[in-house]
Amino acid sequence: MKKIEAGAIQYVLVVSIIIMIVLFAFISLVFLQNRIRLKSEVYKETVHASYVGFDYLSQKQLPYNTPTEVQFSELDGEKTSITKKHWGVFDLAIVRSTLKNETFQKIALLGNQKEDRKALYLQNNNQPLVVVGNTKITGDVILPQKGITTGNISGVAYYGNELVYGNIKTNSGQLPTIHNLDYIIQITQEYPLDEVQMFDLKEGIKLRNSFEEKTLGFETEAPLDLRNMSLEGNIVLMSRSQIRVFRSAVLEDVILIAPKVILESGVKGSCQIFAEEKIWIKEGVELNYPSGLTLIDSSILKGKNKEINIQIDKRAQIKGVVLYYNKNKESDYTTQVAVKEGAKVTGEVYCNKNFELGGSVDGFVYTSNFIANQAGGIYMNHLYNGQINAKAISEHYKGMFVETDKVTIAKWLE
Protein backbone atom coordinates (compact mmCIF):
# COMPACT_ATOMS: atom_id res chain seq x y z
CA MET A 1 0.00 0.00 0.00
CA LYS A 2 1.28 3.39 -1.00
CA LYS A 3 1.89 5.66 1.98
CA ILE A 4 0.67 9.27 1.99
CA GLU A 5 3.25 11.66 3.18
CA ALA A 6 2.48 13.57 6.38
CA GLY A 7 3.06 16.93 4.65
CA ALA A 8 0.34 16.19 2.13
CA ILE A 9 -2.15 15.35 4.89
CA GLN A 10 -1.32 18.58 6.65
CA TYR A 11 -1.81 20.47 3.40
CA VAL A 12 -5.24 18.89 2.89
CA LEU A 13 -6.25 19.70 6.46
CA VAL A 14 -5.17 23.32 6.11
CA VAL A 15 -7.06 23.70 2.85
CA SER A 16 -10.13 22.07 4.41
CA ILE A 17 -10.00 24.39 7.40
CA ILE A 18 -9.67 27.43 5.12
CA ILE A 19 -12.64 26.27 3.07
CA MET A 20 -14.67 25.76 6.26
CA ILE A 21 -13.73 29.22 7.50
CA VAL A 22 -14.71 30.80 4.17
CA LEU A 23 -18.00 28.88 4.13
CA PHE A 24 -18.73 29.84 7.73
CA ALA A 25 -17.93 33.47 6.98
CA PHE A 26 -20.18 33.40 3.92
CA ILE A 27 -23.04 31.79 5.83
CA SER A 28 -22.58 34.31 8.67
CA LEU A 29 -22.57 37.18 6.19
CA VAL A 30 -25.76 35.95 4.53
CA PHE A 31 -27.37 35.52 7.95
CA LEU A 32 -26.27 38.99 9.05
CA GLN A 33 -27.50 40.55 5.82
CA ASN A 34 -30.89 38.88 6.22
CA ARG A 35 -31.06 40.03 9.82
CA ILE A 36 -30.15 43.61 8.86
CA ARG A 37 -32.69 43.50 6.05
CA LEU A 38 -35.41 42.26 8.38
CA LYS A 39 -34.43 44.83 11.01
CA SER A 40 -34.49 47.54 8.36
CA GLU A 41 -37.93 46.44 7.15
CA VAL A 42 -39.25 46.40 10.70
CA TYR A 43 -37.78 49.85 11.33
CA LYS A 44 -39.30 51.17 8.09
CA GLU A 45 -42.68 49.83 9.21
CA THR A 46 -42.41 51.70 12.54
CA VAL A 47 -41.41 54.91 10.75
CA HIS A 48 -44.30 54.53 8.31
CA ALA A 49 -46.75 53.86 11.13
CA SER A 50 -45.61 57.01 12.95
CA TYR A 51 -46.28 59.24 9.97
CA VAL A 52 -49.61 57.51 9.37
CA GLY A 53 -50.33 58.36 13.01
CA PHE A 54 -50.05 62.09 12.25
CA ASP A 55 -52.41 61.67 9.29
CA TYR A 56 -54.82 59.83 11.58
CA LEU A 57 -54.57 62.66 14.12
CA SER A 58 -55.57 65.22 11.50
CA GLN A 59 -58.74 63.28 10.71
CA LYS A 60 -59.91 62.33 14.21
CA GLN A 61 -60.92 64.26 17.31
CA LEU A 62 -58.65 62.71 19.93
CA PRO A 63 -58.79 63.57 23.65
CA TYR A 64 -56.04 65.65 25.23
CA ASN A 65 -53.44 64.10 27.54
CA THR A 66 -54.76 60.57 26.98
CA PRO A 67 -52.74 58.14 24.81
CA THR A 68 -54.73 56.57 22.00
CA GLU A 69 -53.46 53.22 20.68
CA VAL A 70 -54.04 52.30 17.05
CA GLN A 71 -52.79 49.50 14.78
CA PHE A 72 -52.17 50.70 11.23
CA SER A 73 -50.97 47.42 9.67
CA GLU A 74 -51.74 43.71 9.79
CA LEU A 75 -48.31 42.92 11.22
CA ASP A 76 -48.39 41.11 14.55
CA GLY A 77 -47.23 43.32 17.38
CA GLU A 78 -47.38 46.63 15.49
CA LYS A 79 -48.77 49.32 17.78
CA THR A 80 -48.88 53.12 17.55
CA SER A 81 -49.55 55.37 20.53
CA ILE A 82 -50.79 58.94 19.86
CA THR A 83 -50.84 61.59 22.59
CA LYS A 84 -52.20 65.07 21.96
CA LYS A 85 -51.43 67.97 24.31
CA HIS A 86 -51.89 71.72 24.45
CA TRP A 87 -48.88 73.95 23.88
CA GLY A 88 -50.00 77.56 24.00
CA VAL A 89 -52.18 78.55 21.05
CA PHE A 90 -51.02 75.42 19.24
CA ASP A 91 -51.36 71.71 19.94
CA LEU A 92 -48.57 69.19 20.36
CA ALA A 93 -48.53 65.53 19.38
CA ILE A 94 -46.27 62.65 20.41
CA VAL A 95 -46.56 59.62 18.11
CA ARG A 96 -44.67 56.45 19.07
CA SER A 97 -44.77 53.27 16.97
CA THR A 98 -43.41 49.88 18.03
CA LEU A 99 -42.95 46.60 16.17
CA LYS A 100 -41.02 43.69 17.67
CA ASN A 101 -37.93 45.30 19.21
CA GLU A 102 -38.02 48.48 17.13
CA THR A 103 -39.46 51.82 18.29
CA PHE A 104 -39.76 55.10 16.39
CA GLN A 105 -41.08 58.36 17.82
CA LYS A 106 -41.79 61.82 16.41
CA ILE A 107 -42.99 64.96 18.20
CA ALA A 108 -44.57 67.87 16.35
CA LEU A 109 -46.32 71.16 16.98
CA LEU A 110 -49.77 71.24 15.40
CA GLY A 111 -51.69 74.12 13.91
CA ASN A 112 -54.63 74.78 11.64
CA GLN A 113 -54.39 75.14 7.88
CA LYS A 114 -57.51 76.73 6.47
CA GLU A 115 -58.48 75.77 2.95
CA ASP A 116 -60.38 79.01 2.33
CA ARG A 117 -57.75 81.59 3.27
CA LYS A 118 -59.05 85.16 3.42
CA ALA A 119 -56.71 88.15 3.58
CA LEU A 120 -59.18 90.04 5.78
CA TYR A 121 -62.26 89.30 7.85
CA LEU A 122 -63.71 92.59 9.15
CA GLN A 123 -66.62 92.43 11.57
CA ASN A 124 -69.81 94.17 10.56
CA ASN A 125 -70.18 97.33 12.67
CA ASN A 126 -72.40 99.26 10.23
CA GLN A 127 -69.40 101.17 8.92
CA PRO A 128 -67.52 100.78 5.64
CA LEU A 129 -63.80 100.11 5.57
CA VAL A 130 -61.98 103.29 4.49
CA VAL A 131 -58.61 102.89 2.75
CA VAL A 132 -56.11 105.76 2.66
CA GLY A 133 -52.57 106.34 1.41
CA ASN A 134 -50.45 103.40 0.32
CA THR A 135 -52.82 100.82 1.76
CA LYS A 136 -52.95 97.60 -0.25
CA ILE A 137 -55.06 94.51 0.41
CA THR A 138 -54.15 91.47 -1.68
CA GLY A 139 -56.39 88.43 -1.48
CA ASP A 140 -60.07 87.69 -0.94
CA VAL A 141 -61.84 89.60 1.85
CA ILE A 142 -65.01 89.49 3.92
CA LEU A 143 -66.21 93.01 4.74
CA PRO A 144 -69.16 94.72 6.46
CA GLN A 145 -72.32 95.13 4.43
CA LYS A 146 -71.43 98.76 3.78
CA GLY A 147 -68.35 97.56 1.93
CA ILE A 148 -65.19 99.55 1.26
CA THR A 149 -64.46 103.07 0.10
CA THR A 150 -61.58 105.52 -0.22
CA GLY A 151 -60.83 108.32 2.19
CA ASN A 152 -58.60 111.31 2.84
CA ILE A 153 -56.55 112.17 5.94
CA SER A 154 -54.85 115.59 6.02
CA GLY A 155 -54.69 115.77 2.25
CA VAL A 156 -53.51 112.17 1.80
CA ALA A 157 -55.83 110.22 -0.50
CA TYR A 158 -55.84 106.58 -1.56
CA TYR A 159 -53.15 105.78 -4.12
CA GLY A 160 -54.16 102.29 -5.22
CA ASN A 161 -55.79 101.30 -8.50
CA GLU A 162 -58.16 98.79 -6.90
CA LEU A 163 -59.88 98.89 -3.53
CA VAL A 164 -59.06 95.21 -2.99
CA TYR A 165 -56.83 93.03 -5.14
CA GLY A 166 -59.11 90.05 -4.77
CA ASN A 167 -62.75 89.06 -4.36
CA ILE A 168 -65.09 90.81 -1.93
CA LYS A 169 -67.83 89.18 0.12
CA THR A 170 -69.95 90.73 2.87
CA ASN A 171 -70.87 89.46 6.33
CA SER A 172 -73.49 90.32 8.89
CA GLY A 173 -72.07 88.55 11.92
CA GLN A 174 -69.27 88.44 14.45
CA LEU A 175 -65.67 87.33 14.05
CA PRO A 176 -65.03 83.61 13.55
CA THR A 177 -64.63 81.46 16.65
CA ILE A 178 -61.26 80.42 18.10
CA HIS A 179 -61.85 76.80 19.07
CA ASN A 180 -59.29 76.56 21.91
CA LEU A 181 -60.00 80.04 23.32
CA ASP A 182 -61.12 78.72 26.72
CA TYR A 183 -57.78 76.97 27.21
CA ILE A 184 -55.86 80.06 26.07
CA ILE A 185 -57.73 82.21 28.61
CA GLN A 186 -57.08 79.63 31.33
CA ILE A 187 -53.31 79.44 30.92
CA THR A 188 -53.01 83.22 30.60
CA GLN A 189 -54.72 83.71 33.95
CA GLU A 190 -53.37 80.67 35.81
CA TYR A 191 -51.10 78.04 34.29
CA PRO A 192 -51.83 74.53 35.71
CA LEU A 193 -48.82 74.06 37.98
CA ASP A 194 -49.66 70.42 38.70
CA GLU A 195 -48.37 69.72 35.19
CA VAL A 196 -45.04 71.46 35.88
CA GLN A 197 -41.77 70.47 37.56
CA MET A 198 -40.12 73.59 38.99
CA PHE A 199 -36.44 74.36 38.34
CA ASP A 200 -33.96 77.01 39.42
CA LEU A 201 -33.53 79.74 36.82
CA LYS A 202 -30.28 81.71 36.96
CA GLU A 203 -28.15 83.80 34.65
CA GLY A 204 -25.85 81.77 32.39
CA ILE A 205 -28.05 78.68 32.37
CA LYS A 206 -28.23 76.50 29.26
CA LEU A 207 -31.20 74.16 29.34
CA ARG A 208 -33.05 72.02 26.84
CA ASN A 209 -36.08 70.00 27.90
CA SER A 210 -37.69 67.42 25.63
CA PHE A 211 -41.42 67.56 25.01
CA GLU A 212 -41.45 63.90 25.96
CA GLU A 213 -40.58 64.88 29.52
CA LYS A 214 -42.63 66.77 32.11
CA THR A 215 -42.78 70.52 31.56
CA LEU A 216 -40.10 72.47 33.44
CA GLY A 217 -41.35 75.69 35.02
CA PHE A 218 -40.14 78.73 36.90
CA GLU A 219 -42.45 81.11 38.77
CA THR A 220 -41.78 84.33 40.64
CA GLU A 221 -43.74 87.22 42.13
CA ALA A 222 -40.98 89.66 41.18
CA PRO A 223 -40.14 91.14 37.79
CA LEU A 224 -38.10 88.66 35.76
CA ASP A 225 -35.23 89.74 33.50
CA LEU A 226 -33.95 87.15 31.03
CA ARG A 227 -30.36 87.71 29.89
CA ASN A 228 -27.26 85.59 29.21
CA MET A 229 -29.10 82.27 29.02
CA SER A 230 -30.29 79.65 26.55
CA LEU A 231 -33.63 77.89 27.03
CA GLU A 232 -35.15 75.46 24.56
CA GLY A 233 -38.15 73.19 24.42
CA ASN A 234 -40.71 72.22 27.03
CA ILE A 235 -40.22 75.15 29.43
CA VAL A 236 -42.64 77.69 30.93
CA LEU A 237 -41.52 80.90 32.68
CA MET A 238 -44.02 82.84 34.82
CA SER A 239 -43.96 86.16 36.63
CA ARG A 240 -46.76 87.80 38.59
CA SER A 241 -45.59 91.24 37.47
CA GLN A 242 -43.36 91.47 34.37
CA ILE A 243 -40.97 89.55 32.12
CA ARG A 244 -38.32 91.39 30.15
CA VAL A 245 -36.18 89.59 27.54
CA PHE A 246 -32.79 90.95 26.46
CA ARG A 247 -30.90 90.16 23.26
CA SER A 248 -28.40 87.97 25.14
CA ALA A 249 -31.19 85.50 25.97
CA VAL A 250 -31.81 82.72 23.45
CA LEU A 251 -35.33 81.26 23.60
CA GLU A 252 -36.63 78.43 21.42
CA ASP A 253 -40.23 77.14 21.63
CA VAL A 254 -40.66 78.21 25.28
CA ILE A 255 -43.72 79.89 26.86
CA LEU A 256 -43.61 83.19 28.77
CA ILE A 257 -46.53 84.25 31.01
CA ALA A 258 -46.82 87.57 32.85
CA PRO A 259 -49.14 90.59 33.04
CA LYS A 260 -46.52 92.54 31.06
CA VAL A 261 -43.89 91.14 28.68
CA ILE A 262 -41.27 93.28 26.96
CA LEU A 263 -38.83 92.08 24.30
CA GLU A 264 -35.92 94.48 24.07
CA SER A 265 -34.36 95.54 20.77
CA GLY A 266 -32.40 92.87 18.95
CA VAL A 267 -34.02 89.80 20.56
CA LYS A 268 -34.10 86.80 18.22
CA GLY A 269 -35.61 83.34 18.71
CA SER A 270 -39.06 81.79 18.99
CA CYS A 271 -41.50 81.76 21.87
CA GLN A 272 -45.13 82.12 22.82
CA ILE A 273 -46.05 85.06 25.04
CA PHE A 274 -49.21 85.30 27.15
CA ALA A 275 -50.12 88.52 28.96
CA GLU A 276 -53.08 90.38 30.43
CA GLU A 277 -51.92 94.00 30.25
CA LYS A 278 -49.09 94.69 27.81
CA ILE A 279 -46.86 93.05 25.19
CA TRP A 280 -44.21 95.35 23.79
CA ILE A 281 -42.04 94.12 20.92
CA LYS A 282 -39.30 96.68 20.42
CA GLU A 283 -37.41 97.69 17.31
CA GLY A 284 -35.57 94.98 15.39
CA VAL A 285 -36.95 91.97 17.30
CA GLU A 286 -37.20 88.81 15.20
CA LEU A 287 -39.46 85.99 16.39
CA ASN A 288 -39.33 82.93 14.18
CA TYR A 289 -42.23 80.67 13.26
CA PRO A 290 -44.18 79.40 15.09
CA SER A 291 -44.20 82.17 17.69
CA GLY A 292 -47.20 83.81 19.28
CA LEU A 293 -48.23 87.03 21.04
CA THR A 294 -51.44 86.55 23.02
CA LEU A 295 -53.09 89.11 25.27
CA ILE A 296 -56.30 88.29 27.09
CA ASP A 297 -57.70 91.58 28.39
CA SER A 298 -60.38 91.38 31.06
CA SER A 299 -60.49 95.14 31.68
CA ILE A 300 -63.22 97.53 30.63
CA LEU A 301 -61.89 99.88 27.96
CA LYS A 302 -61.43 103.28 29.62
CA GLY A 303 -60.83 105.80 26.86
CA LYS A 304 -58.12 107.37 24.77
CA ASN A 305 -55.47 107.48 27.53
CA LYS A 306 -55.30 103.70 27.70
CA GLU A 307 -51.95 102.39 26.45
CA ILE A 308 -51.64 100.01 23.52
CA ASN A 309 -51.97 96.38 24.62
CA ILE A 310 -49.86 94.73 21.91
CA GLN A 311 -47.30 97.03 20.34
CA ILE A 312 -44.93 95.88 17.58
CA ASP A 313 -42.34 98.54 16.78
CA LYS A 314 -40.66 99.32 13.46
CA ARG A 315 -38.35 96.73 11.88
CA ALA A 316 -39.71 94.03 14.20
CA GLN A 317 -40.74 90.77 12.55
CA ILE A 318 -43.19 88.30 14.05
CA LYS A 319 -43.70 84.96 12.32
CA GLY A 320 -46.77 83.30 13.76
CA VAL A 321 -49.82 84.47 15.70
CA VAL A 322 -50.84 87.83 17.16
CA LEU A 323 -54.00 87.49 19.27
CA TYR A 324 -55.87 90.10 21.31
CA TYR A 325 -59.15 89.17 22.97
CA ASN A 326 -61.43 91.12 25.29
CA LYS A 327 -64.67 89.47 26.31
CA ASN A 328 -66.30 92.77 27.35
CA LYS A 329 -68.73 94.20 24.82
CA GLU A 330 -67.70 97.83 25.34
CA SER A 331 -65.60 99.49 22.66
CA ASP A 332 -63.76 102.81 22.64
CA TYR A 333 -61.48 104.92 20.47
CA THR A 334 -58.15 103.50 21.67
CA THR A 335 -55.75 101.11 19.98
CA GLN A 336 -55.49 97.57 21.31
CA VAL A 337 -53.05 96.15 18.72
CA ALA A 338 -50.54 98.28 16.79
CA VAL A 339 -48.17 97.10 14.06
CA LYS A 340 -46.01 100.15 13.47
CA GLU A 341 -44.67 101.38 10.14
CA GLY A 342 -41.89 99.09 8.94
CA ALA A 343 -42.95 96.19 11.20
CA LYS A 344 -44.17 92.92 9.73
CA VAL A 345 -46.29 90.02 10.90
CA THR A 346 -45.99 86.86 8.81
CA GLY A 347 -48.95 84.78 9.86
CA GLU A 348 -52.21 86.08 11.29
CA VAL A 349 -53.60 88.82 13.49
CA TYR A 350 -56.81 88.33 15.46
CA CYS A 351 -58.08 91.41 17.33
CA ASN A 352 -61.66 91.64 18.51
CA LYS A 353 -61.33 95.38 19.22
CA ASN A 354 -59.27 98.10 17.44
CA PHE A 355 -56.29 97.27 15.22
CA GLU A 356 -53.90 99.93 13.95
CA LEU A 357 -51.89 98.68 10.99
CA GLY A 358 -49.13 100.95 9.78
CA GLY A 359 -46.83 98.11 8.77
CA SER A 360 -47.66 94.87 6.96
CA VAL A 361 -49.25 91.49 7.48
CA ASP A 362 -48.22 88.72 5.12
CA GLY A 363 -51.12 86.44 5.87
CA PHE A 364 -54.53 86.99 7.41
CA VAL A 365 -56.29 89.57 9.58
CA TYR A 366 -59.44 89.14 11.70
CA THR A 367 -60.53 92.32 13.44
CA SER A 368 -63.59 94.16 14.72
CA ASN A 369 -62.29 97.58 13.70
CA PHE A 370 -59.33 99.30 12.14
CA ILE A 371 -58.17 102.54 13.71
CA ALA A 372 -55.79 105.24 12.48
CA ASN A 373 -54.20 107.84 14.74
CA GLN A 374 -53.06 110.49 12.29
CA ALA A 375 -52.60 114.29 12.26
CA GLY A 376 -53.91 114.61 15.80
CA GLY A 377 -57.16 112.80 14.96
CA ILE A 378 -58.64 109.37 15.50
CA TYR A 379 -60.19 107.72 12.44
CA MET A 380 -62.33 104.64 13.03
CA ASN A 381 -62.35 101.82 10.49
CA HIS A 382 -59.63 103.59 8.50
CA LEU A 383 -56.66 101.64 7.17
CA TYR A 384 -53.78 104.08 6.60
CA ASN A 385 -50.70 102.81 4.69
CA GLY A 386 -51.35 99.27 5.94
CA GLN A 387 -50.44 96.27 3.80
CA ILE A 388 -52.23 92.89 3.95
CA ASN A 389 -51.16 90.17 1.54
CA ALA A 390 -52.58 86.68 1.86
CA LYS A 391 -50.68 85.54 -1.22
CA ALA A 392 -47.28 86.38 0.28
CA ILE A 393 -47.46 83.67 2.95
CA SER A 394 -46.47 80.06 2.37
CA GLU A 395 -49.30 77.67 1.58
CA HIS A 396 -47.80 75.43 4.29
CA TYR A 397 -48.42 77.99 7.06
CA LYS A 398 -50.30 76.54 10.05
CA GLY A 399 -51.85 78.86 12.60
CA MET A 400 -54.62 79.32 15.14
CA PHE A 401 -57.65 77.10 15.30
CA VAL A 402 -59.96 79.74 13.83
CA GLU A 403 -63.22 78.54 12.25
CA THR A 404 -62.01 74.94 12.36
CA ASP A 405 -60.08 72.75 14.80
CA LYS A 406 -58.56 70.45 12.19
CA VAL A 407 -54.92 69.88 13.10
CA THR A 408 -51.89 69.42 10.90
CA ILE A 409 -48.12 69.65 11.41
CA ALA A 410 -46.78 73.17 11.99
CA LYS A 411 -43.24 72.25 13.05
CA TRP A 412 -41.26 69.09 13.80
CA LEU A 413 -39.87 69.42 17.30
CA GLU A 414 -38.08 66.12 17.88
Side-chain angles (χ1 to χ4, degrees):
M1 180 180 292
K2 186 176 180 181
K3 295 183 178 180
I4 300 176
E5 296 182 2
I9 296 175
Q10 290 178 346
Y11 177 77
V12 171
L13 289 174
V14 170
V15 172
S16 300
I17 291 172
I18 292 174
I19 292 173
M20 290 177 62
I21 292 173
V22 171
L23 288 172
F24 179 76
F26 177 75
I27 293 170
S28 298
L29 179 61
V30 171
F31 175 78
L32 181 60
Q33 287 179 332
N34 285 333
R35 187 170 182 179
I36 292 174
R37 179 180 57 80
L38 291 172
K39 184 179 179 67
S40 176
E41 289 177 356
V42 170
Y43 184 74
K44 287 179 180 179
E45 287 293 338
T46 59
V47 172
H48 176 70
S50 294
Y51 287 102
V52 172
F54 281 100
D55 291 336
Y56 180 85
L57 185 62
S58 68
Q59 300 169 15
K60 302 290 184 179
Q61 293 293 331
L62 300 185
Y64 287 95
N65 304 315
T66 302
T68 299
E69 290 192 355
V70 188
Q71 184 170 346
F72 293 117
S73 72
E74 297 180 355
L75 298 173
D76 291 337
E78 183 267 310
K79 180 175 64 176
T80 299
S81 174
I82 305 171
T83 304
K84 185 173 72 170
K85 301 180 179 181
H86 292 287
W87 189 248
V89 297
F90 300 95
D91 281 350
L92 183 142
I94 302 173
V95 179
R96 180 187 293 110
S97 295
T98 58
L99 178 60
K100 297 183 178 179
N101 294 323
E102 293 296 324
T103 299
F104 183 80
Q105 176 176 286
K106 290 293 288 183
I107 302 176
L109 208 59
L110 306 175
N112 172 39
Q113 183 174 18
K114 297 180 289 294
E115 295 179 0
D116 186 15
R117 292 150 57 109
K118 298 290 190 294
L120 172 62
Y121 192 113
L122 182 59
Q123 182 176 313
N124 183 30
N125 287 319
N126 296 316
Q127 297 181 52
L129 171 62
V130 182
V131 288
V132 186
N134 291 313
T135 292
K136 186 174 183 180
I137 304 173
T138 304
D140 297 342
V141 300
I142 298 179
L143 299 178
Q145 290 182 339
K146 291 194 175 181
I148 183 170
T149 186
T150 62
N152 188 298
I153 297 178
S154 297
V156 178
Y158 177 64
Y159 300 129
N161 296 319
E162 303 286 342
L163 293 176
V164 173
Y165 295 84
N167 298 316
I168 300 175
K169 293 183 178 180
T170 58
N171 75 86
S172 58
Q174 302 297 310
L175 293 180
T177 301
I178 301 173
H179 284 262
N180 57 343
L181 180 61
D182 289 343
Y183 175 78
I184 293 171
I185 293 173
Q186 173 196 332
I187 65 170
T188 303
Q189 297 174 345
E190 194 69 40
Y191 195 88
L193 296 180
D194 57 331
E195 301 176 4
V196 175
Q197 177 182 333
M198 293 300 179
F199 75 101
D200 185 21
L201 180 67
K202 54 187 178 181
E203 191 169 330
I205 189 173
K206 293 184 178 180
L207 178 63
R208 181 185 184 278
N209 188 40
S210 168
F211 284 94
E212 185 180 9
E213 305 296 332
K214 191 170 185 178
T215 300
L216 293 179
F218 177 82
E219 183 181 29
T220 179
E221 296 287 336
L224 177 61
D225 287 349
L226 304 180
R227 49 161 59 96
N228 299 320
M229 61 180 62
S230 176
L231 302 173
E232 180 182 355
N234 189 11
I235 299 170
V236 177
L237 306 180
M238 296 162 279
S239 169
R240 297 289 182 180
S241 55
Q242 175 181 287
I243 295 177
R244 190 163 53 153
V245 183
F246 294 85
R247 66 186 305 168
S248 61
V250 179
L251 306 178
E252 188 75 24
D253 297 323
V254 304
I255 286 178
L256 308 178
I257 304 174
K260 295 183 179 181
V261 180
I262 301 170
L263 269 58
E264 297 290 346
S265 298
V267 169
K268 296 181 180 181
S270 69
C271 62
Q272 292 190 63
I273 296 171
F274 295 85
E276 294 180 273
E277 298 176 16
K278 176 81 173 183
I279 297 175
W280 187 3
I281 307 299
K282 293 191 178 182
E283 183 176 346
V285 169
E286 295 180 15
L287 290 185
N288 297 322
Y289 176 78
S291 293
L293 312 178
T294 298
L295 195 144
I296 304 299
D297 188 359
S298 59
S299 67
I300 297 175
L301 303 182
K302 298 177 182 178
K304 65 180 181 180
N305 293 324
K306 185 175 182 292
E307 67 175 348
I308 298 170
N309 294 99
I310 300 179
Q311 179 174 323
I312 303 173
D313 285 347
K314 62 181 181 179
R315 294 196 307 105
Q317 297 189 43
I318 309 299
K319 296 180 179 180
V321 171
V322 177
L323 167 61
Y324 171 90
Y325 183 80
N326 189 316
K327 65 180 180 180
N328 294 310
K329 295 182 179 180
E330 296 82 1
S331 295
D332 65 358
Y333 299 98
T334 63
T335 300
Q336 279 68 56
V337 177
V339 177
K340 299 293 187 178
E341 181 180 358
K344 176 184 283 190
V345 175
T346 302
E348 57 199 318
V349 176
Y350 189 109
C351 173
N352 75 333
K353 297 298 179 183
N354 299 328
F355 177 30
E356 183 173 6
L357 178 59
S360 61
V361 176
D362 285 353
F364 327 111
V365 173
Y366 306 84
T367 188
S368 295
N369 285 290
F370 283 105
I371 188 170
N373 291 275
Q374 296 292 326
I378 299 173
Y379 298 84
M380 296 304 297
N381 239 18
H382 280 59
L383 187 51
Y384 184 86
N385 289 341
Q387 309 275 317
I388 305 173
N389 190 347
K391 296 182 179 180
I393 193 170
S394 169
E395 62 180 12
H396 301 296
Y397 171 82
K398 318 298 190 306
M400 290 188 297
F401 299 110
V402 179
E403 299 180 280
T404 175
D405 54 359
K406 182 178 180 180
V407 299
T408 186
I409 297 167
K411 177 183 178 181
W412 293 111
L413 297 172
E414 299 174 23

